């Protein structure tokens, strides 16, 4: 929430009237009459309760994938119940699933044990969620891929060279050809070069990166990189249908300022949305264009006409969101009371006519008046926009602490609903695809003062479910989430097809064994391999001996093929805690220290779970 720090700049720029509004909205007082306080009447509450009630044994209609911010995780919710179904660890070890403790996931995490994950991106086919993968960015220059077949993190790519602060990410193109990243912080590149801050405007650079996604396996690889002026790139979205082939990124600090950014970077009335022709980037990279920086080929826009254009957008824009048909691009100037809608056809005409007002480091700046369709007076502090199936758009208003509903084309604001409090992102059911569902919208709020039993100074973040099936938006439910949700996506549940066990025939792990007879210890010099079988209710071998200083690898296979029969392996005093799902094999490697060390199954698996234990004797 970097923009929350720009309060004083906000006051300076928006003026006294706005100031009054800001203060009154941003200091919510605790509800007065206890738990039953609600803006709606009693009958409305009864309707809301019915709409969110998912009876025992019944299933939700949608999955909600919510980013975990600097917890480095993803949270899975069911909608409309708003029940927290699962936590998917991505950039952070998670003892609950043993993630980050076994050799494989430890290697994937590398030296970093935290990430700041903001913007999930479900894989798409023709601009619609296809239920295969989920990508998520990390500020540390990385993108992860979660496989929705088993809801597990399968790949982390990066840190990508030259990228500092991968905020504008992990948005995917309509057929998931690319997941893109844009740098929040400009730095001298290659990384590791040190240049005095006085040369920021000329010697520091931003970069926009395309990460190629294999259409069959989802495997990510480096695609191309574009050198950009030293702005702070913020959010992005891929063009679709009419605007397919382009990606859009907002930027702030186009002043190229340093120091107290809340003042220095809020001087200009307009910053930019950068529009990148990713098909041209791909083609240029394939033709070998660009210069080698930090070990990767970097494309320079002034050498490749048409690669990047800048769309002026007021003021310090945050979100940029492309309408379902791709014709409109909505840029939310967070220090304004309006959101700006650009017309892609007009953009193309302006490009053709060279309707420019200047350039930034050789990148043409399009004329604002020629490409803008409307400034929609949504309210104060617009951040992000989502879409419904019927031409309606929904914009979150941080300062107003509300959601505005407005109509594409007529630009009329038709409804507003307050959020408790200070909404950041919002997500509508399939609301950023070519085919939005309407029905539900979730506001991901930054504050929740007084909305829950107090748990101390760190108040739970709140997410609010809103019914958008009718003309007027209706608040249905408050759900409290772990810190700190940014963006989330909501996908129809029947698009996701998770497995329940790993089929035995798919396990290709070289150290997998399927019979307790094959369990045991083999030695090669000071390297010891322990092949272990986990099945109710024994860990075989039940004891083994190694020597002090040995490098021990335990390869454990859970040979169960029964739903929900997970086993764990905890070794006391070793910081070892791994979990193996049915049909899965995992390894853990460590140096043996002298003594007797019990190991045991950590996942409750049967009536004799407590008996599932053994001893490692190190002599
Ligand atoms: S950003 S609200 Cu990554 Cu909008 Cu958080
Ligand atoms: Cu196996 Cu508990």
């Amino acid at each position: 929430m970097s923009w929350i720090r720009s309060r004083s700049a906000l006051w300076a720029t928006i003026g006294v009237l706005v100031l009054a509004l800001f203060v009154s909205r941003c200091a919510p007082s605790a509800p007065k009459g206890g738990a039953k306080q609600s803006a709606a009447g009693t009958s409305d509450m009864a309707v809301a309760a019915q709409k969110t009630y998912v009876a025992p044994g019944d299933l939700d209609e949608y999955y909600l994938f919510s980013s975990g911010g600097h917890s480095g995780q993803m949270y899975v919710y069911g909608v409309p119940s708003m029940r927290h179904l699962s936590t998917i660890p991505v950039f952070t070890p998670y003892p609950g699933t043993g993630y980050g403790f076994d050799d494989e996931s430890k290697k994937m995490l590398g030296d970093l044990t935290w990430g700041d994950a903001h913007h999930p991106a479900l894989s798409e086919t023709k601009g619609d969620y296809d239920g295969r993968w989920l990508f998520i960015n990390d500020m540390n220059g990385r993108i992860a891929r979660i496989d929705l077949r088993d809801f597990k993190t399968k790949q982390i790519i990066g840190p990508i060279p030259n990228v500092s602060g991968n905020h504008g990410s992990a948005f995917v193109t309509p057929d998931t050809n690319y997941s893109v990243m844009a740098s929040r912080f400009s730095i001298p590149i290659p990384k590791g070069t040190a240049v005095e801050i006085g040369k920021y405007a000329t010697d520091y650079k931003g970069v926009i990166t395309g990460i190629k996604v294999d259409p069959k396996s989802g495997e990510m690889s480096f695609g191309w990189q574009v050198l950009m002026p030293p702005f702070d790139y913020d959010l992005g979205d891929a063009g679709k249908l009419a605007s397919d082939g382009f990606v859009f990124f907002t930027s702030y600090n186009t002043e190229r300022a340093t120091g107290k950014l809340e003042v220095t970077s809020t001087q200009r009335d307009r910053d930019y949305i950068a529009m990148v022709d990713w098909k041209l980037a791909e083609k240029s990279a394939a033709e070998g264009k660009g210069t080698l920086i930090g070990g990767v080929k970097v494309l320079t826009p002034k050498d490749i006409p048409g690669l990047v254009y800048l769309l002026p957008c007021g003021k310090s824009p945050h979100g940029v969101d492309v309408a379902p048909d791709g014709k409109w691009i909505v840029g939310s100037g967070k220090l304004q009371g309006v959101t700006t809608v650009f017309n892609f056809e007009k953009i193309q005409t302006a490009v053709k006519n060279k309707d420019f007002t200047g350039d930034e480091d050789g990148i043409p700046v399009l004329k604002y008046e020629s490409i803008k369709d409307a400034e929609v007076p949504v309210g104060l502090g617009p951040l992000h926009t989502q879409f419904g199936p019927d031409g309606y758009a929904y914009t979150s208003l941080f300062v107003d602490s509300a959601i505005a509903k407005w109509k594409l084309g007529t630009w009329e604001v038709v409804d507003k609903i307050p959020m408790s409090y200070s909404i950041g992102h919002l997500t509508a059911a399939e609301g950023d695809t070519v085919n939005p569902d309407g029905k539900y919208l979730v506001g991901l709020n930054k504050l929740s003062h007084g909305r829950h039993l107090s748990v101390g100074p760190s108040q739970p973040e709140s997410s609010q479910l809103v019914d958008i099936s009718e003309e007027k938006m209706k608040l249905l439910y408050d759900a409290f989430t772990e810190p700190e949700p940014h963006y989330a996506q909501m996908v129809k549940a029947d698009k996701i097809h998770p497995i329940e066990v790993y089929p035995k025939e798919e396990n290709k792990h070289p150290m997998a064994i399927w019979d307790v007879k094959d369990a045991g210890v083999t030695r090669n010099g000071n390297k010891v391999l322990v092949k272990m079988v986990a099945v109710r209710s024994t860990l075989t071998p039940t004891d083994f001996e190694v020597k002090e200083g040995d490098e021990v690898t335990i390869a454990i296979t859970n040979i169960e093929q029964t739903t929900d029969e997970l086993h764990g392996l905890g070794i006391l005093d070793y910081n070892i805690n791994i979990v193996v799902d049915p049909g899965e094999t995992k390894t853990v490697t460590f140096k043996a220290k002298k003594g007797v060390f019990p190991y045991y199954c950590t996942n409750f698996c049967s009536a004799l779970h407590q008996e599932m234990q053994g001893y490692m004797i190190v002599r």
Side-chain angles (χ1 to χ4, degrees):
M1 277 211 315
S2 57
W3 29 263
I4 198 173
R5 278 182 234 117
S6 64
R7 268 182 204 172
S8 66
L10 199 70
W11 297 356
T13 40
I14 312 182
V16 180
L17 178 69
V18 172
L19 171 75
L21 263 167
F22 180 79
V23 170
S24 69
R25 309 281 168 113
C26 242
S29 54
K32 287 155 213 109
K36 292 290 173 221
Q37 274 283 332
S38 165
T42 326
S43 66
D44 278 352
M45 284 207 289
V47 172
Q50 217 161 38
K51 285 198 168 177
T52 55
Y53 183 67
V54 176
D58 283 357
L59 302 178
D60 278 298
E61 201 182 342
Y62 288 90
Y63 283 98
L64 177 77
F65 293 97
S66 183
S67 65
H70 51 281
S71 79
Q73 302 172 331
M74 289 288 314
Y75 305 117
V76 187
Y77 290 81
V79 176
S81 76
M82 293 305 282
R83 291 190 284 226
H84 176 201
L85 304 176
S86 155
T87 294
I88 307 173
V90 185
F91 298 111
T92 310
Y94 186 51
T97 62
Y99 183 77
F101 289 86
D102 60 281
D103 293 343
E104 295 81 5
S105 59
K106 236 197 235 165
K107 189 171 159 216
M108 200 159 57
L109 287 172
D111 295 335
L112 293 161
T113 52
W114 79 290
D116 192 355
H118 283 222
H119 316 114
L122 286 156
S123 58
E124 297 178 9
T125 300
K126 293 192 165 67
D128 238 328
Y129 299 150
D130 58 24
R132 296 197 289 167
W133 310 301
L134 178 65
F135 299 87
I136 178 81
N137 74 311
D138 167 27
M139 285 289 283
N140 295 289
R142 300 183 294 174
I143 294 180
R145 186 186 80 253
I146 294 160
D147 196 331
L148 293 176
R149 189 172 173 255
D150 58 3
F151 283 53
K152 298 231 175 97
T153 305
K154 289 297 158 65
Q155 188 192 1
I156 297 176
I157 189 170
I160 294 292
N162 303 327
V163 176
S164 185
N166 174 35
H167 187 258
S169 180
F171 316 101
V172 296
T173 52
D175 284 303
T176 322
N177 303 75
Y178 286 94
S179 175
V180 292
M181 37 193 346
S183 58
R184 172 170 157 197
F185 307 110
S186 289
I187 52 165
I189 61 172
K191 240 189 202 171
T193 319
V195 176
E196 64 200 81
I197 197 80
K199 291 189 175 152
Y200 180 85
T202 50
D203 290 21
Y204 285 53
K205 301 289 171 200
V207 289
I208 286 170
T209 305
I211 296 295
K212 183 100 193 88
V213 179
D214 184 279
K216 285 235 159 63
S217 64
E219 194 73 11
M220 297 178 284
S221 57
F222 176 77
W224 38 261
Q225 203 157 60
V226 180
L227 193 70
M228 297 294 290
F231 310 153
D232 291 54
Y233 299 89
D234 206 9
L235 267 301
D237 197 10
K240 46 190 166 234
L241 298 176
S243 50
D244 189 14
F246 294 86
V247 274
F248 301 88
F249 297 96
T250 52
S251 65
Y252 59 95
N253 192 20
T254 59
E255 290 84 354
R256 308 184 188 218
T258 55
K260 215 171 153 67
L261 282 198
E262 62 176 330
V263 179
T264 56
S265 80
T266 52
Q267 300 303 308
R268 296 170 81 165
D269 275 339
R270 295 208 179 98
D271 293 276
Y272 300 117
I273 290 172
M275 175 175 98
V276 182
D277 184 338
W278 64 261
K279 290 188 177 166
L280 181 57
E282 181 177 59
K283 186 166 161 276
S284 306
E287 286 167 356
K289 291 196 177 132
T291 22
L292 207 62
I293 308 175
V296 298
K297 272 288 184 67
V298 182
L299 305 169
T300 309
K302 72 169 170 354
D303 301 336
I304 304 168
L307 184 61
V308 187
Y309 293 97
L310 296 173
L311 289 44
C313 182
K315 170 177 186 169
S316 301
H318 187 57
V320 55
D321 299 281
V322 180
D325 59 8
K327 287 183 187 155
W328 283 297
I329 292 104
V330 181
S332 290
K334 64 182 183 270
L335 300 187
Q336 282 194 315
V338 299
T339 192
T340 312
V341 185
F342 299 95
N343 182 319
F344 189 71
E345 236 170 80
K346 290 184 179 174
I347 292 172
Q348 280 174 307
T349 308
V351 165
K352 218 184 308 142
N353 297 341
K354 295 199 172 2
D355 197 357
F356 307 145
T357 55
D359 75 286
E360 296 270 6
D361 300 355
I363 305 172
V365 177
L366 298 174
K367 189 170 169 200
Y368 180 71
E369 290 73 19
S370 308
I371 57 174
K372 171 211 79 171
D373 251 1
E375 287 178 353
V376 185
V378 286
L380 295 176
L383 293 185
H384 300 281
T385 299
Q386 290 275 292
F387 302 93
D390 39 15
Y392 284 107
Y394 302 84
T395 300
S396 59
L397 307 169
F398 175 75
V399 178
D400 269 355
S401 187
I403 294 170
K405 174 181 177 180
W406 52 281
K407 184 97 187 168
L408 289 162
T410 69
W411 320 123
E412 200 189 338
V413 178
V414 296
D415 192 23
K416 266 194 196 183
I417 187 167
M419 285 283 107
S420 309
Y421 301 92
S422 300
I423 182 172
H425 276 268
L426 75 178
T427 184
E430 312 226 345
D432 63 1
T433 69
V434 295
N435 254 325
D437 283 4
K439 287 193 179 181
Y440 301 113
L441 184 152
V442 173
L444 298 130
N445 303 321
K446 298 300 184 189
L447 307 171
S448 59
H449 181 83
R451 299 287 290 191
H452 49 81
L453 292 176
S454 177
V455 292
S458 178
Q459 311 236 335
E461 311 279 338
S462 93
S463 293
Q464 289 181 301
L465 179 68
V466 177
D467 180 356
I468 54 166
S469 59
E470 286 163 40
E471 216 177 295
K472 290 226 97 16
M473 296 181 279
K474 285 200 190 85
L475 179 64
L476 296 179
Y477 196 76
D478 274 26
F480 298 101
T481 56
E482 297 273 339
E484 163 179 318
H486 289 266
Y487 189 35
Q489 284 182 325
M490 208 191 301
V491 55
K492 200 82 205 279
D494 61 16
K495 286 189 177 175
I496 312 281
H497 308 284
I499 54 166
E500 298 198 342
V501 299
Y502 292 100
K504 180 181 173 184
E505 54 285 1
E506 275 184 29
N507 184 327
K508 300 276 186 292
H509 199 289
M511 290 171 223
I513 49 168
W514 295 90
D515 194 319
V516 289
K517 289 205 295 288
D518 300 324
V521 179
T522 48
R523 173 178 289 278
N524 184 359
N526 69 338
K527 287 193 164 64
V528 177
L529 174 64
V530 183
K531 288 189 177 168
M532 191 176 277
V533 166
V535 67
R536 277 163 289 170
S537 296
T538 307
L539 289 164
T540 313
T542 53
D543 60 82
F544 63 90
E545 264 193 43
V546 296
K547 288 193 211 125
E548 187 180 8
D550 280 346
E551 186 191 296
V552 180
T553 298
I554 299 177
I556 176 170
T557 303
N558 176 350
I559 65 171
E560 307 266 3
Q561 290 284 280
T562 311
T563 300
D564 235 358
E565 279 303 335
L566 282 68
H567 298 288
L569 176 71
I571 307 184
L572 298 175
D573 307 316
Y574 269 92
N575 197 36
I576 289 172
N577 154 51
I578 60 183
V579 177
V580 265
D581 292 358
E584 198 178 29
T585 302
K586 277 184 181 168
T587 65
V588 61
T589 303
F590 56 93
K591 209 173 183 98
K593 56 188 179 196
K594 204 166 175 177
V596 170
F597 302 94
Y599 50 88
Y600 70 104
C601 174
T602 49
N603 256 72
F604 202 98
C605 51
S606 73
L608 295 172
H609 155 77
Q610 207 70 353
E611 279 72 7
M612 204 167 169
Q613 65 178 50
Y615 286 98
M616 173 172 72
I617 294 132
V618 185
R619 300 230 266 181

